[in-house]
Amino acid sequence: MPEPPAPMKPWYWLGWSLTRLVSHGYFGLTAYHPERVPARGPCIVAANHASYFDPFCLGAEVRRELYFLARSSAFRFPLSFLLPRVNAVPVDRDGGGMKGLLQIMDILAQGHAITLFPEGTRSPDGQLQRARPGIGLIVIKSGAPVVPVRIFGSYEAWNRHMKLPRPRRLQVKYGQPLNFEALRAEAPTASKDRLKAIYQEVADQIMAAIAALQPQRDEP
């Protein structure tokens, strides 16, 4: 019998509970197969990104703690007290740089799960964008499995052009974990150019797995 998730820290549990309340009460969230996120061990939860609310609705039905990235400019009082307690990790504006990469790798090395958005930033029009190679580097270096996730309705609910959210129905679909064994085995002896290609190939495969997830249609 698989181990259950570790107990949530009090502050995380409080934030998780409030997120569930808003997700279900205001947005009518429905999640499909959140159990595909492993209960223990390092894991990357990779999703499309169209809304401010994406990191929260991703974790609303997952029974283990997730870490997520937040702009370092947000870590000002009173959020400087709250954000670290709900597993927010400060990164620069673009979420990149060596410091951000090392933080992500450290979180995974400790056996935690982290939410990453392969597109790098919120979609300007709600359509899927091409993934950046950074997530491919993290996947190859960490050895962590990747759970592709697609969020439906979040652009209509609260996109980058809106100041306030609208009550639109959200769906979150979790795919089967991806492992990339062959590319991981090739990477240690690959040339520099091939290694860059591997990172982009991993990123593209993750986005393809996200794109393959389709919304659940209501039964007639």
Side-chain angles (χ1 to χ4, degrees):
M1 184 174 181
E3 281 190 272
M8 293 178 180
K9 298 186 295 287
W11 277 102
Y12 188 94
W13 179 86
L14 179 60
W16 179 76
S17 299
L18 291 174
T19 294
R20 285 170 57 81
L21 184 64
V22 173
S23 297
H24 292 282
Y26 190 75
F27 293 114
L29 174 70
T30 304
Y32 298 92
H33 303 297
E35 74 282 355
R36 288 175 173 167
V37 177
R40 299 267 182 163
C43 176
I44 297 168
V45 179
N48 62 308
H49 195 18
S51 170
Y52 299 103
F53 198 65
D54 290 338
F56 304 100
C57 66
L58 279 175
E61 289 298 315
V62 175
R63 300 289 169 165
R64 68 176 292 183
E65 292 190 17
L66 300 181
Y67 285 71
F68 64 96
L69 308 181
R71 289 184 181 179
S72 55
S73 58
F75 285 74
R76 298 171 180 165
F77 186 83
L79 291 180
S80 59
F81 172 82
L82 178 61
L83 288 176
R85 287 164 174 78
V86 294
N87 296 344
V89 180
V91 293
D92 61 30
R93 176 179 171 84
D94 295 319
M98 183 57 65
K99 183 179 178 181
L101 172 63
L102 292 175
Q103 286 177 298
I104 294 168
M105 297 298 292
D106 185 57
I107 288 166
L108 292 168
Q110 294 178 49
H112 299 305
I114 189 165
T115 295
L116 298 177
F117 298 107
E119 297 158 294
T121 189
R122 283 168 289 147
S123 171
D125 57 7
Q127 301 301 307
L128 298 180
Q129 311 297 305
R130 191 181 188 196
R132 298 182 181 181
I135 191 170
L137 185 153
I138 293 167
V139 169
I140 294 298
K141 296 288 188 183
S142 70
V146 181
V147 178
V149 185
R150 190 166 180 183
I151 307 165
F152 300 94
S154 66
Y155 181 82
E156 292 75 17
W158 198 7
N159 62 58
R160 64 193 307 170
H161 310 295
M162 298 163 57
K163 292 184 177 180
L164 296 173
R166 298 172 183 169
R168 300 292 188 268
R169 295 189 67 83
L170 302 181
Q171 283 189 19
V172 181
K173 296 196 80 170
Y174 299 79
Q176 295 286 358
L178 309 171
N179 287 297
F180 303 101
E181 292 97 338
L183 291 174
R184 283 198 179 107
E186 180 187 354
T189 57
S191 67
K192 187 176 180 180
D193 287 343
R194 175 56 186 153
L195 198 55
K196 289 181 180 179
I198 287 173
Y199 295 155
Q200 187 63 61
E201 188 175 343
V202 169
D204 290 342
Q205 287 187 31
I206 292 171
M207 281 307 299
I210 292 171
L213 297 168
Q214 296 299 309
Q216 193 77 18
R217 304 298 181 185
D218 294 333
E219 294 294 335

